[in-house]
């Protein structure tokens, strides 16, 4: 049942993004930023963790999950470091994912052969 919940919730998140791409003039980049911001706001007010408890990876893998990680990191860092945590918490919480993205992006650029159109 856990896999079905993850599949359905992740699919709904992706479906909403696809509808926004097809039916609006929003660019995919703006939709991605909007998803991160929505995840951050929902994580900040405590709603997104409830979705994560219900759907597991179906809620943590999409970009909304990244926004939730940023909000969670800021909240935790504010508790330990005070106001400075606003600036450092999100980066500390997401450092592993950001480092992996940079590393794999670099590796893809090394091994890919770009072609001109």
């Amino acid at each position: 049942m856990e896999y079905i919940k993850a599949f359905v919730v992740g699919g709904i998140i992706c479906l909403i993004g696809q509808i926004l791409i097809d039916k609006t003039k929003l660019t995919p980049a703006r939709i991605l930023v909007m998803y991160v911001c929505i995840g951050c706001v929902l994580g900040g007010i405590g709603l997104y963790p409830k979705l994560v408890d219900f759907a597991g990876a179906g809620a943590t893998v999409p970009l909304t999950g990244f926004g939730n990680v940023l909000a969670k990191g800021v909240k935790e860092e504010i508790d330990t470091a005070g106001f400075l945590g606003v600036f450092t918490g999100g980066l500390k919480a997401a450092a592993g994912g950001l480092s992996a993205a940079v590393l794999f992006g670099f590796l893809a650029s090394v091994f890919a052969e770009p072609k001109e159109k």
Side-chain angles (χ1 to χ4, degrees):
M1 192 65 180
E2 184 177 332
Y3 294 121
I4 293 171
K5 289 184 209 176
F7 179 78
V8 169
V9 170
I12 289 171
I13 292 171
C14 293
L15 176 69
I16 293 168
Q18 190 63 50
I19 290 170
L20 289 172
I21 289 171
D22 292 343
K23 301 295 182 185
T24 68
K25 293 186 181 204
L26 291 171
T27 63
R30 289 184 180 186
I31 294 168
L32 296 176
V33 170
M34 183 177 65
Y35 266 28
V36 172
C37 292
I38 288 170
C40 194
V41 169
L42 292 176
I45 61 176
L47 293 178
Y48 206 82
K50 293 177 185 174
L51 182 63
V52 170
D53 289 340
F54 174 75
T60 59
V61 173
L63 285 168
T64 49
F66 177 68
N68 179 49
V69 167
L70 292 175
K72 182 179 175 184
V74 168
K75 285 168 52 173
E76 290 174 0
E77 194 68 16
I78 286 174
D79 291 340
T80 60
F83 182 72
L84 189 60
V86 172
F87 303 106
T88 61
L91 292 174
K92 283 184 179 180
L98 293 173
S99 298
V102 170
L103 173 67
F104 290 118
F106 172 74
L107 291 175
S109 71
V110 168
F111 294 112
E113 294 182 28
K115 297 178 180 142
E116 293 185 32
K117 290 184 178 182

